[in-house]
Structure formats: C-alpha cells, structure tokens
Amino acid sequence: MESLDLLEEKLKDKGIRLTKQRKTILEVLLASNRPLSAQDIFTKIEAMNPKLRLSTVYRNLNSFQEVNIVRALNLKGKEKKFELIDEGHHHHHLLCIECDNIMPLSCPLKEFENKLKNETGYTILDHRMKIYGLCPKCKEK
C-alpha cells in the first residue's frame, strides 16, 4: 500500500502541490479498504473542512486520475468509485448485489494472462474483473 509520503512525491514529480484539501482526500482514500465515491469522500471530510465543496473533491480526484494516483471504477450503478492505484498489488472486486459491499480480491489471472500472451502473441496491458454475489449478511436475510 502506498503511503502519504510516496503519494506526495508522485504528485510533486507531476508538478502538483499537495494542498491541505488534496492531502485530506488522499488520507481518506488511504484509510479506506474499499473504493469510495466522491460523495463518500466528501461526507467523510465535510465536518473537518466545512469550506470544502463536492466539486473540489471531484476536481482533485480527476487530477489524481490524470497522473495515475487514483483509478475510477464503474462497479455498480452510475456512480463512479475511486481507489488509489497500488502498483505493487493488482486486484479485482467482489460486489454484493444487495448491500453494495465491495471486497478487494487478489488477482488469480497471472497464469492465464501468460497463457494468452504465449498463445496469441498479444502484449497484455491490463484486465479487470468484477464478481457479483451476496455477502454472508445478505445471504442470511
């Protein structure tokens, strides 16, 4: 997992200053174990920084996305979710269709990706997988 210092260094390398607002947004993302919407992030920091606007959260998330600090995910519904890009840990997502719980999953596809590469000659650049189901709590209902 990335640290705030590493993220600050990445931003600095891209010519982006780590303002108080950007730092707070990154701290919320670092503390989360699941992707968050801009509204989720805004709700978490609104009390700490009442002058912050939702549009500012969106603007910063878009800036972070442009410099490969965060990734936007279309998991379920129309609302984008954002997560930090952890270059050392590629993962996928398991989503509950009832409560919208999102669980990161380690990637099981490395061997398959190598097989595809060898069989087709393609250079595999990326892949995404979403698995939908019912979490244990929703399954009990």
Side-chain angles (χ1 to χ4, degrees):
M1 179 56 83
E2 300 279 353
S3 72
L4 188 57
D5 291 338
L6 284 173
L7 293 172
E8 182 176 7
E9 200 59 39
K10 283 183 179 181
L11 287 173
K12 191 176 182 182
D13 290 346
K14 302 288 184 177
I16 299 172
R17 207 169 45 87
L18 184 64
T19 63
K20 183 180 176 183
Q21 293 170 335
R22 290 180 182 139
K23 181 179 178 183
T24 305
I25 293 167
L26 290 173
E27 287 171 339
V28 168
L29 287 168
L30 279 166
S32 178
N33 61 352
R34 63 189 305 253
L36 300 171
S37 68
Q39 183 64 56
D40 294 335
I41 295 167
F42 178 72
T43 300
K44 287 180 184 285
I45 59 181
E46 185 178 23
M48 296 182 292
N49 191 345
K51 292 182 181 179
L52 185 71
R53 302 241 184 268
L54 180 58
S55 61
T56 303
V57 173
Y58 272 108
R59 195 170 37 260
N60 281 293
L61 288 169
N62 288 333
S63 293
F64 294 159
Q65 192 177 352
E66 287 172 10
V67 296
N68 294 318
I69 299 276
V70 301
R71 152 181 34 252
L73 305 167
N74 294 315
L75 297 174
K76 184 179 172 193
K78 295 180 182 179
E79 188 176 41
K80 281 185 189 177
K81 304 277 185 175
F82 296 87
E83 68 180 358
L84 291 170
I85 295 174
D86 184 354
E87 294 168 9
H89 178 68
H90 174 74
H91 66 276
H92 300 284
H93 299 96
L94 178 59
L95 298 101
C96 179
I97 61 170
E98 288 294 319
C99 70
D100 293 332
N101 185 37
I102 303 167
M103 178 185 290
L105 299 171
S106 293
C107 180
L109 298 177
K110 193 65 174 164
E111 199 173 298
F112 180 65
E113 198 175 89
N114 286 332
K115 183 179 183 225
L116 278 176
K117 178 182 171 185
N118 292 335
E119 288 178 1
T120 65
Y122 271 68
T123 299
I124 308 296
L125 301 175
D126 195 15
H127 65 265
R128 296 279 165 241
M129 179 172 56
K130 298 179 259 186
I131 300 174
Y132 298 90
L134 291 171
C135 71
K137 287 180 184 175
C138 292
K139 189 174 156 184
E140 286 178 14
K141 294 178 185 175

